Amino acid sequence: MPLYPASNTPAPPAAETTAALMLSGGGARAAYQVGVLEAISELRQLCGEQNGPNPFPIISGTSAGAINAASLACGADQFDQTVHRIAKVWRGFHADQVYLADSVSMLRSGAKWMTLLSMGWLIARWRRVKPKSLLDNSPLAELLHHMVPLERIPSLVRDGHLQALAVTASSYTSGEHFTFYEGDKRLLPWTRSQRRGLRDKITHDHLLASSAIPFVFPAMPLRVDGETAYYGDGSMRQSAPIAPAIHLGAHRICVIGAGRVHEPKRPGGHGDVGSYPSLAQIAGHALANIFLDALAVDIERIRRINQTLSLVPPEMRSASNLRPVELLLISPSEQLDVIASRHINELPKAVRSVLGSLGVSSKASDERGAPLASYLLFEPGYTNELMALGHKDAMRQRADICRFFGWTDPEAPLQTGASAASSASAHQPERRRDPLRLR
């Protein structure tokens, strides 16, 4: 039986304003997004909207978020069932479904890196040691071919269930950031400084390229403009992660992060030098910069534009190329690094050994190497805890989600007069109409 049986339900008419879903990157952290999607699906059914249109006609993703995005897009005509399928995969995830985690494979890939670190680049070059990555993600390629039927995308677009699917990747050759999209033929490519939007047939290679965490997973060759070049994780050099959804016609955007937008200050201030950071700490810091910082900056930019435009007279605003875009942000309320530190022992022994040589400790009390591990912990204890957190965080924003989609929550308390105004004001920081440039 096919994973996505053909739907007999005709595509409903398009909504007045198109909603988009934007999923950020983060390796195993992307399990959090699935918990949020489960909550949205649950609310959708509770509000009696299960037979309504696909809530996200535009779906955009980066890195592991691109894989979740593509999986969701492939079942755009069966949103609730598709979310259930994706959640089932994430609940049963093991590291060896994503990368080779046995002792022989880890020696083959990890030992080469250790050689570079211990023997020096000169000797390694003499020995022709040229590792492509720390880990071999060939199992992920096989999983994608079985679980993400991208061949369904053209018919879903044609039948009106989907307007566009977009995934991002970064070119190691040109240094440009590419958004590859497949969708409605009226959607036009775009070019901005160091970033481009390109119409293309999305393949599993695009997903592998988008999720190729630098140094951790191998870069992927893609053919663009008649030339083949190597591409890596789409979060690299991604200066405006929300922009692709706007270019593709979104008026309302739900952004699901894979890390706290504003991380709290860690123990140990400027006066506490502490021990020299391990390679794992440095790598975790670098990955946080790649996966988290650009989204936080883009959200701040949106809010600044919104504040500035509120000062512009309406007649002048209507003559500009600015338009309001409604933004709903859902991101972790807890530090995923801390959660990861409690589950490092679940990783296969060979993986723990390699990560241990980089400074990742198996002790739950030692969180210094946990940021790096948090991206590689494809184990059910960790992914299930992240999914539960995503579900809980989304349910905390239940009223915001229902208003975003225009759903009527049958369990919402009736509010009138001052109490209704007070409630609306209380939720305003979480959800706002944000005028954005056509970016």
Side-chain angles (χ1 to χ4, degrees):
M1 185 176 180
L3 286 172
Y4 296 85
S7 173
N8 295 321
T9 305
E16 291 183 5
T17 57
T18 303
L21 175 66
M22 185 270 169
L23 301 175
S24 64
R29 289 168 168 249
Y32 175 86
Q33 300 168 351
V34 182
V36 174
L37 290 173
E38 281 192 297
I40 292 174
S41 173
E42 186 178 317
L43 290 173
R44 183 174 185 255
Q45 296 176 64
L46 183 67
C47 295
E49 300 288 340
Q50 63 270 25
N51 295 320
N54 169 29
F56 299 113
I58 298 171
I59 304 177
S60 173
T62 302
S63 191
I67 293 176
N68 281 339
S71 302
L72 192 63
C74 289
D77 55 339
Q78 306 165 57
F79 179 80
D80 299 314
Q81 298 94 317
T82 301
V83 170
H84 176 74
R85 293 187 188 101
I86 297 171
K88 185 176 180 181
V89 172
W90 276 95
R91 280 203 170 85
F93 245 145
H94 289 281
D96 58 10
Q97 292 176 274
V98 180
Y99 50 86
L100 297 178
D102 60 281
S103 299
V104 173
S105 298
M106 292 306 299
L107 282 172
R108 187 177 296 136
S109 58
K112 289 182 179 179
W113 281 103
M114 294 305 104
T115 298
L116 293 178
L117 294 172
S118 61
M119 298 180 63
W121 286 98
L122 183 61
I123 298 176
R125 183 178 180 183
W126 175 70
R127 293 187 57 183
R128 299 184 184 278
V129 175
K130 296 181 180 179
K132 292 182 177 180
S133 59
L134 178 64
L135 301 173
D136 180 343
N137 64 345
S138 53
L140 176 60
E142 184 176 347
L143 179 68
L144 292 179
H145 281 281
H146 283 93
M147 300 300 298
V148 188
L150 291 167
E151 65 275 6
R152 297 197 77 225
I153 297 298
S155 63
L156 291 169
V157 172
R158 185 177 60 249
D159 294 341
H161 295 289
L162 186 69
Q163 183 167 315
L165 165 65
V167 301
T168 62
S170 183
S171 170
Y172 285 115
T173 304
S174 68
E176 289 182 295
H177 180 265
F178 284 83
T179 296
F180 301 98
Y181 69 91
E182 185 172 359
D184 191 293
K185 61 183 180 181
R186 292 168 293 183
L187 299 173
L188 301 176
W190 64 89
T191 301
R192 296 293 184 271
S193 176
Q194 294 298 311
R195 52 189 173 97
R196 294 173 58 188
L198 225 60
R199 179 182 292 277
D200 204 351
K201 181 176 177 59
I202 304 298
T203 67
H204 295 110
D205 283 349
H206 286 88
L207 302 183
L208 289 170
S210 181
S211 58
I213 300 175
F215 299 109
V216 177
F217 296 136
M220 287 296 297
L222 296 176
R223 193 162 182 80
V224 176
D225 295 335
E227 297 181 353
T228 299
Y230 279 87
Y231 290 77
D233 200 292
S235 296
M236 294 186 293
R237 309 197 72 173
Q238 187 178 38
S239 58
I242 301 175
I246 299 170
H247 284 293
L248 295 171
H251 291 76
R252 298 175 291 129
I253 305 174
C254 175
V255 179
I256 306 178
R260 297 183 73 173
V261 174
H262 297 288
E263 289 285 350
K265 186 176 180 180
R266 293 182 178 275
H270 295 294
D272 182 11
V273 176
S275 58
Y276 191 83
S278 66
L279 288 175
Q281 284 178 273
I282 295 172
H285 185 73
L287 292 178
N289 173 265
I290 292 172
F291 289 112
L292 305 180
D293 292 355
L295 179 59
V297 170
D298 208 19
I299 290 170
E300 288 180 357
R301 182 187 298 122
I302 289 171
R303 291 172 177 169
R304 286 198 304 269
I305 294 173
N306 181 58
Q307 183 178 14
T308 302
L309 284 180
S310 67
L311 305 175
V312 178
E315 61 275 10
M316 293 181 64
R317 197 184 312 162
S318 62
S320 72
N321 66 338
L322 303 175
R323 58 180 169 85
V325 174
E326 191 171 338
L327 182 67
L328 174 64
L329 171 66
I330 305 174
S331 63
S333 59
E334 300 177 21
Q335 287 183 271
L336 304 193
D337 301 351
V338 176
I339 297 175
S341 68
R342 300 196 291 264
H343 296 278
I344 292 176
N345 274 322
E346 298 174 17
L347 284 167
K349 185 177 180 180
V351 179
R352 295 202 311 271
S353 178
V354 170
L355 292 182
S357 66
L358 298 176
V360 177
S361 173
S362 296
K363 297 179 181 179
S365 59
D366 187 352
E367 301 172 5
R368 290 174 297 176
L372 174 60
S374 71
Y375 298 94
L376 304 176
L377 252 167
F378 293 93
E379 294 294 336
Y382 179 61
T383 59
N384 278 267
E385 187 166 351
L386 294 195
M387 290 170 69
L389 178 62
H391 186 278
K392 180 178 70 173
D393 287 345
M395 284 303 186
R396 284 175 178 166
Q397 294 181 239
R398 175 174 178 158
D400 296 317
I401 292 172
C402 289
R403 281 197 297 270
F404 179 84
F405 292 109
W407 298 339
T408 301
D409 186 350
E411 298 181 10
L414 293 176
Q415 296 174 317
T416 58
S419 62
S422 174
S423 175
S425 175
H427 285 95
Q428 190 63 24
E430 299 292 339
R431 174 181 174 275
R432 61 183 71 209
R433 295 186 65 80
D434 293 300
L436 297 179
R437 294 184 181 277
L438 294 178
R439 310 159 74 210

